[in-house]
């Protein structure tokens, strides 16, 4: 037994010496040496190349979303052109996404890249240092590709934290066929709007549509009415806590909305309709008017849309004898992609955000789902007719106010949405609405 053990030990030493000698005689050729920095988009582990995967979250979850195809075009182009930096995208419906993102950011589980809204929505993330500042990565001419002012709502304390995708604007879509068939004038003033509502209601045609189950679509109506009663300057000041909401002009914005509701402007089911369901009613020719974002325009110009060629776009009717702004719009550049400060791949993520945002902007303009903020070159004859009409409308704009749920921070945004929903449901008076909005200005929002 001892002899067998000694032989085994001797054999072990011989094999070890042979292996050591063989390894020490191999000299790596220069071409075999790998410099991790020399291979863009490649991670390394023990000298071995490894593909990078970036996680991206966004809100374009269904085919009915006008921005879905433009985003996917930009994403697919990136993945095709950058095989070593693959982006895996995950979509979540708008309102659910807000909760999901806030939760993920709070527990440091945000993806490398995430769709976000600037201004007040992203401010808590920035304040908590959860978002990567981009300034040192923008000295390559990126800023020169953007129109002036398009970074305003992504800039905090002088630093840029996001790049814009496109500009949006609220517009009134009118089914001119329904107006003409029923001998009703397309409204230019609020008084004419009330008259049109009553006339359509008398003919058993739903005058206006809103998907208040989702909350924010009804908010759009109150937001534009505030521009008509208070103006863009005062509204922006109130939203930035520099003026009071408890002024007669803000009470009036809620009163005018309540007047529309009581006149029968909206479907009686509106509190149970989603945005998509309400929009479908309009696209199928069952509703006369629809106030929503410019991103809807392209889908109404598609060949499969029943109202293609029957729609005109207008700014929301002006309010007679008012000191508000008759040419102001709800909107601006607020949609963005941001990069998590915890990402392992900062340069790759930022490069992806630049490329996809610019491509997304161009494709959105071509498809009619966005107004460009990047200086993209396109054949204007290929632009959706309604999108081209909106672009012309915006040339007469005297100012913008972002949708209030994106300007407000933290839980303030949801409180505002809930207050407008209470107006629709008859649970809140205009005076109570203004008082509760001012209460937000006098308290500190929660972190997220």
């Amino acid at each position: 037994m001892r002899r067998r053990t000694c032989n085994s030990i001797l054999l072990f030493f011989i094999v070890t010496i042979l292996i050591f000698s063989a390894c020490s005689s191999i000299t790596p050729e220069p071409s075999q040496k790998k410099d991790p920095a020399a291979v863009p988009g490649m991670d390394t582990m023990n000298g071995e190349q490894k593909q990078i995967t970036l996680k991206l979250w966004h809100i374009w979850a269904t085919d009915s979303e006008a921005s879905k195809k433009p985003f996917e075009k930009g994403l697919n182009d990136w993945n095709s052109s950058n095989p070593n930096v693959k982006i895996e995208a995950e979509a979540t419906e708008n309102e659910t996404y807000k909760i999901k993102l806030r939760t993920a950011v709070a527990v440091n589980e945000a993806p490398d890249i995430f769709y976000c809204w600037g201004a007040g929505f992203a401010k808590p993330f920035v304040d908590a240092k959860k978002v990567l500042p981009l300034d040192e990565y923008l000295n390559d001419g990126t800023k020169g590709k953007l129109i002036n002012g398009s970074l305003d709502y992504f800039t905090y304390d002088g630093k840029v934290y996001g790049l814009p995708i496109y500009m949006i604007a609220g517009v009134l879509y009118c089914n001119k066929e329904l107006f003409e068939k029923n001998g009703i004038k397309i409204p230019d003033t609020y008084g004419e709007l009330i008259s049109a509502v009553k006339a359509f209601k008398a003919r058993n045609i739903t005058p206006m549509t809103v998907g208040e189950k989702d909350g924010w679509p009804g908010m759009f109506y109150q937001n534009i009415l505030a521009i008509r009663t208070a103006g863009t300057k005062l509204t922006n000041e109130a939203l930035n806590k520099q003026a009071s909401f408890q002024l007669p002009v803000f009470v009036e914005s809620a009163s005018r909305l309540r007047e529309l509701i009581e006149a029968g402007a909206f479907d009686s089911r509106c509190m149970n309709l989603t945005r998509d369901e309400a929009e479908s009613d309009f696209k199928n020719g069952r509703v006369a008017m629809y106030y929503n974002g410019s991103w809807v325009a392209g889908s109404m110009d598609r060949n499969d849309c029943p109202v293609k060629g029957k729609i005109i776009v207008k700014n929301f009717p002006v309010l007679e004898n008012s000191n508000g702004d008759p040419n102001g719009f709800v909107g601006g550049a607020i949609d963005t992609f941001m990069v998590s400060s915890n990402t392992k791949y900062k340069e790759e993520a930022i490069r992806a955000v630049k490329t996809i945002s610019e491509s997304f902007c161009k494709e959105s303009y071509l498809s009619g789902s966005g107004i460009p903020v990047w200086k993209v070159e396109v054949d204007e004859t290929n632009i959706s007719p309604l999108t081209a009409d909106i672009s012309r409308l915006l040339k007469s704009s005297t100012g913008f106010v972002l949708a209030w749920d994106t300007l407000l921070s933290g839980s303030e945004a949801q409180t505002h949405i809930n207050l407008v929903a209470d107006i629709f449901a008859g649970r809140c008076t205009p005076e109570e609405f203004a008082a509760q909005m001012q209460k937000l200005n006098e308290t500190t929002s929660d972190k997220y």
Side-chain angles (χ1 to χ4, degrees):
M1 180 70 70
R2 284 177 60 85
R3 183 181 303 149
R4 184 176 301 169
T5 301
C6 291
N7 289 341
S8 298
I9 293 172
L10 179 60
L11 179 60
F12 170 79
F13 278 115
I14 292 171
V15 170
T16 301
I17 291 169
L18 288 173
I19 292 173
F20 179 80
S21 300
C23 291
S24 62
S25 65
I26 298 174
T27 302
E29 305 229 350
S31 61
Q32 291 178 302
K33 295 180 180 180
K34 296 174 183 177
D35 178 7
V39 187
M42 296 297 283
D43 192 7
T44 60
M45 184 174 291
N46 299 324
E48 295 295 324
Q49 294 183 352
K50 178 185 175 183
Q51 184 182 56
I52 286 174
T53 298
L54 299 174
K55 301 288 186 181
L56 182 153
W57 288 359
H58 66 91
I59 62 170
W60 305 289
T62 65
D63 289 338
S64 63
E65 293 283 355
S67 292
K68 187 171 188 288
K69 288 184 178 179
F71 165 70
E72 289 178 342
K73 175 70 164 58
L75 177 65
N76 292 336
D77 286 349
W78 168 269
N79 281 334
S80 298
S81 303
N82 297 272
N84 298 330
V85 187
K86 181 183 178 183
I87 294 178
E88 292 183 354
E90 181 178 324
T92 305
E93 182 274 331
N94 191 305
E95 293 306 308
T96 304
Y97 178 82
K98 293 175 182 176
I99 299 170
K100 175 182 174 180
L101 180 61
R102 285 174 174 139
T103 302
V105 170
V107 297
N108 292 320
E109 293 183 359
D112 302 278
I113 301 168
F114 53 90
Y115 169 84
C116 197
W117 298 268
F121 186 92
K123 189 176 186 300
F125 304 162
V126 172
D127 289 346
K129 301 188 185 308
K130 305 291 188 177
V131 186
L132 186 69
L134 307 181
D135 299 81
E136 65 178 287
Y137 303 95
L138 301 181
N139 297 321
D140 58 353
T142 298
K143 288 185 178 180
K145 295 181 179 181
L146 297 164
I147 66 172
N148 291 336
S150 59
L151 292 174
D152 289 355
Y153 291 119
F154 317 116
T155 302
Y156 303 85
D157 296 326
K159 293 183 178 180
V160 177
Y161 288 86
L163 294 179
I165 300 170
Y166 42 57
M167 177 185 288
I168 64 169
V171 294
L172 183 66
Y173 298 91
C174 300
N175 185 324
K176 62 182 179 182
E177 183 178 69
L178 286 180
F179 277 92
E180 290 170 357
K181 282 185 176 180
N182 291 278
I184 300 170
K185 182 183 183 299
I186 294 176
D188 293 312
T189 67
Y190 180 82
E192 291 174 350
L193 175 62
I194 291 293
S195 296
V197 164
K198 293 178 178 178
F200 279 118
K201 187 72 176 173
R203 293 165 174 76
N204 294 317
I205 297 171
T206 302
M208 308 180 84
T209 191
V210 65
E212 190 51 19
K213 185 176 181 179
D214 286 338
W216 66 266
M219 176 199 70
F220 254 50
Y221 284 92
Q222 184 277 326
N223 289 181
I224 185 59
L225 283 165
I227 291 176
R228 295 293 178 264
T229 60
T232 56
K233 183 176 183 293
L234 183 58
T235 301
N236 278 316
E237 287 174 349
L239 288 165
N240 286 293
K241 305 183 187 296
Q242 297 165 351
S244 174
F245 279 113
Q246 224 163 348
L247 295 172
V249 287
F250 291 114
V251 174
E252 186 183 2
S253 72
S255 295
R256 296 293 186 175
L257 175 58
R258 190 65 212 159
E259 185 180 358
L260 277 173
I261 295 166
E262 291 175 349
F266 304 102
D267 192 312
S268 60
R269 306 169 298 150
C270 71
M271 297 300 294
N272 296 314
L273 292 177
T274 65
R275 192 288 301 265
D276 288 350
E277 290 167 340
E279 190 170 290
S280 177
D281 283 344
F282 181 79
K283 287 180 176 179
N284 281 287
R286 295 190 289 268
V287 180
M289 293 171 282
Y290 179 38
Y291 182 71
N292 207 260
S294 51
W295 59 82
V296 179
S299 63
M300 293 187 191
D301 276 328
R302 292 177 187 164
N303 291 329
D304 61 350
C305 183
V307 294
K308 174 180 168 62
K310 301 176 183 179
I311 306 303
I312 66 168
V313 289
K314 296 176 63 67
N315 199 347
F316 197 86
V318 301
L319 193 61
E320 305 93 329
N321 303 316
S322 170
N323 293 323
D325 189 343
N327 293 311
F329 285 83
V330 172
I334 188 66
D335 301 80
T336 186
F337 286 116
M338 291 184 167
V339 177
S340 170
S341 56
N342 291 328
T343 183
K344 290 169 57 181
Y345 310 112
K346 293 180 173 62
E347 292 190 6
E348 290 81 4
I350 293 169
R351 187 161 57 90
V353 165
K354 291 177 184 177
T355 303
I356 293 175
S357 296
E358 185 174 5
S359 171
F360 192 175
C361 178
K362 179 178 180 178
E363 295 300 324
S364 295
Y365 189 34
L366 288 170
S367 69
S369 59
I371 308 300
V373 289
W374 291 77
K375 297 173 184 177
V376 294
E377 294 185 6
V378 299
D379 181 352
E380 295 290 337
T381 61
N382 292 328
I383 303 303
S384 148
L386 286 177
T387 299
D389 289 343
I390 293 172
S391 295
R392 284 190 286 271
L393 270 181
L394 294 179
K395 290 178 181 178
S396 63
S397 169
T398 52
F400 289 88
V401 178
L402 291 177
W404 291 19
D405 66 332
T406 54
L407 257 177
L408 296 168
S409 297
S411 61
E412 293 177 348
Q414 190 58 51
T415 297
H416 169 62
I417 289 173
N418 292 343
L419 284 171
V420 175
D422 287 343
I423 293 173
F424 273 89
R427 296 188 295 260
C428 176
T429 68
E431 291 76 16
E432 289 169 340
F433 168 81
Q436 290 301 311
M437 287 301 302
Q438 180 56 23
K439 189 175 180 180
L440 294 180
N441 273 2
E442 297 168 354
T443 57
T444 302
S445 168
D446 61 6
K447 190 175 183 181
Y448 297 113

